[in-house]
C-alpha cells in the first residue's frame, strides 16, 4: 500500500539552529515527491518537486533532497518566519492522486 | 484577485442546516479539488473535477455534494452534516488532473464547525 510518513511530528528550534525534517515513502513507482508549507489558518503552499534519487532543490534557507526511500527538508539557520507545518506528498501509483503525510510542525524561537 | 479563493473562511452550522462552500481559481487551471483536513490526519482527497467533469469521488458520504459549473468555480453543498465533519475544507487547482500535473495550488480553506 502506498504510504507517506513524516517525522518528527513536531520540532522546536532556536533561531539559527539548523535541522532536518524527514519524509519516508512507500510507493510502487515514484512519480515525484512534493513539499508544501502550511501556515496556521491557511492552505498549503507549494515549495518543491523532486523526481529522482540524488536530486536537490533549494529555496532560501530550505534545501530538499531525495533518496530511493525518503526525502529530507534541511533548514539552515532558521528564522521565526520559517515556523509552519511542512507537508510532503507523493502520487499514488494505483490512483494517480497525491498521498499526503501528516506533516511536521516546526516552531522557531528567537 | 489572484490564486485560489474560498468563501466563507469560517462556517458554523447545525446538523439540520444546508450550506455551501465556494471556491474560485484565477490561475487558468483545468482541474479543481476538494480536500478535508482534520487535526493529526493527512489531507483527505474528496472530489476531483477535470474540465468540469467529476473524475474522482473518494467514497465521500452523500451529505457532501460537489458542483463545478465551469473550470474556475467549484462548490461543495452541505446538508445534514455530523459533528465529525468538522474540519478545514481546502480547495485546490492544478493545470490538469493528469499524471504530469501534481503541482496543486490551494486556497486558504473554510473552517467548518458542525454543532
Amino acid at each position: 500500500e502506498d504510504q507517506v510518513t513524516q517525522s518528527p511530528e513536531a520540532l522546536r528550534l532556536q533561531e539559527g539552529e539548523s535541522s532536518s525534517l524527514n519524509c519516508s515513502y512507500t510507493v510502487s513507482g515514484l512519480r515525484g515527491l512534493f513539499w508544501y508549507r502550511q501556515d496556521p489558518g491557511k492552505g498549503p503552499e507549494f515549495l518543491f518537486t523532486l523526481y529522482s534519487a540524488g536530486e536537490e532543490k533549494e529555496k532560501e534557507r530550505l534545501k530538499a533532497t531525495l533518496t530511493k526511500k525518503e526525502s529530507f527538508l534541511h533548514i539552515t539557520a532558521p528564522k521565526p518566519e520559517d515556523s509552519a507545518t511542512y507537508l510532503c506528498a507523493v502520487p499514488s501509483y494505483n490512483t494517480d492522486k497525491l498521498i499526503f503525510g501528516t506533516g511536521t510542525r516546526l516552531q522557531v524561537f528567537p | 484577485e489572484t490564486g485560489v479563493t474560498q468563501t466563507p473562511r469560517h462556517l458554523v452550522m447545525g446538523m439540520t442546516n444546508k450550506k455551501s462552500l465556494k471556491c474560485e481559481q484565477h490561475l487558468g487551471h483545468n482541474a479543481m479539488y476538494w480536500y478535508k483536513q482534520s487535526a493529526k490526519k493527512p489531507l483527505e482527497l474528496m472530489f476531483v473535477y477535470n474540465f468540469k467533469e467529476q473524475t474522482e469521488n473518494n467514497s465521500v458520504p452523500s451529505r457532501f455534494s460537489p458542483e463545478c459549473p465551469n473550470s474556475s468555480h467549484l462548490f461543495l453543498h452541505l446538508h445534514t452534516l455530523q459533528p465529525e465533519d468538522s474540519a478545514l475544507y481546502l480547495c485546490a487547482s492544478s493545470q490538469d488532473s493528469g499524471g504530469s500535473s501534481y503541482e496543486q495550488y490551494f486556497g486558504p480553506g473554510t473552517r467548518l464547525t458542525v454543532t
Side-chain angles (χ1 to χ4, degrees):
Chain A
E1 182 183 348
D2 298 334
Q3 195 169 340
V4 175
T5 303
Q6 290 189 248
S7 62
E9 185 176 320
L11 182 61
R12 294 164 58 98
L13 297 174
Q14 204 71 33
E15 184 172 3
E17 179 186 1
S18 301
S19 188
S20 297
L21 314 182
N22 178 265
C23 172
S24 298
Y25 62 89
T26 304
V27 65
S28 301
L30 185 65
R31 297 176 181 175
L33 185 141
F34 300 80
W35 281 101
Y36 287 84
R37 168 191 170 129
Q38 186 173 21
D39 292 299
K42 294 187 177 181
E45 174 190 349
F46 173 76
L47 290 174
F48 302 111
T49 307
L50 301 166
Y51 287 105
S52 56
E55 188 175 357
E56 299 182 353
K57 293 275 180 73
E58 287 190 61
K59 181 179 181 179
E60 296 180 359
R61 295 174 292 281
L62 300 177
K63 183 168 82 172
T65 61
L66 182 66
T67 72
K68 290 185 178 179
K69 295 183 178 181
E70 58 193 349
S71 177
F72 292 94
L73 186 64
H74 307 278
I75 302 176
T76 302
K79 297 183 177 181
E81 53 262 41
D82 295 321
S83 298
T85 295
Y86 291 85
L87 304 171
C88 72
V90 297
S92 165
Y93 188 81
N94 294 322
T95 68
D96 206 32
K97 299 298 178 266
L98 284 179
I99 303 172
F100 283 85
T102 53
T104 293
R105 189 176 76 254
L106 173 66
Q107 293 177 288
V108 182
F109 296 92
Chain B
E1 292 198 65
T2 59
V4 181
T5 59
Q6 290 186 242
T7 55
R9 294 294 310 277
H10 301 273
L11 178 62
V12 179
M13 58 187 289
M15 290 191 284
T16 58
N17 291 159
K18 289 184 179 181
K19 297 287 184 181
S20 295
L21 310 184
K22 179 183 176 181
C23 174
E24 184 173 0
Q25 59 95 1
H26 307 269
L27 300 169
H29 289 164
N30 298 311
M32 297 187 78
Y33 310 77
W34 279 117
Y35 285 89
K36 176 183 179 182
Q37 188 174 36
S38 304
K40 306 275 187 179
K41 290 185 177 181
L43 268 73
E44 299 174 49
L45 180 65
M46 299 175 73
F47 302 104
V48 181
Y49 278 83
N50 197 33
F51 291 95
K52 303 188 301 177
E53 298 297 320
Q54 187 179 124
T55 59
E56 185 88 17
N57 176 337
N58 205 23
S59 302
V60 180
S62 59
R63 58 185 183 270
F64 295 91
S65 175
E67 178 189 0
C68 188
N70 55 59
S71 293
S72 299
H73 294 85
L74 185 65
F75 296 88
L76 188 63
H77 304 299
L78 316 171
H79 65 96
T80 59
L81 295 190
Q82 304 298 311
E84 59 264 30
D85 296 323
S86 299
L88 182 68
Y89 288 85
L90 291 162
C91 174
S93 71
S94 65
Q95 187 58 51
D96 56 52
S97 67
S100 62
S101 184
Y102 300 112
E103 291 183 18
Q104 296 180 13
Y105 295 83
F106 286 82
T110 295
R111 173 66 62 185
L112 174 67
T113 303
V114 181
T115 61

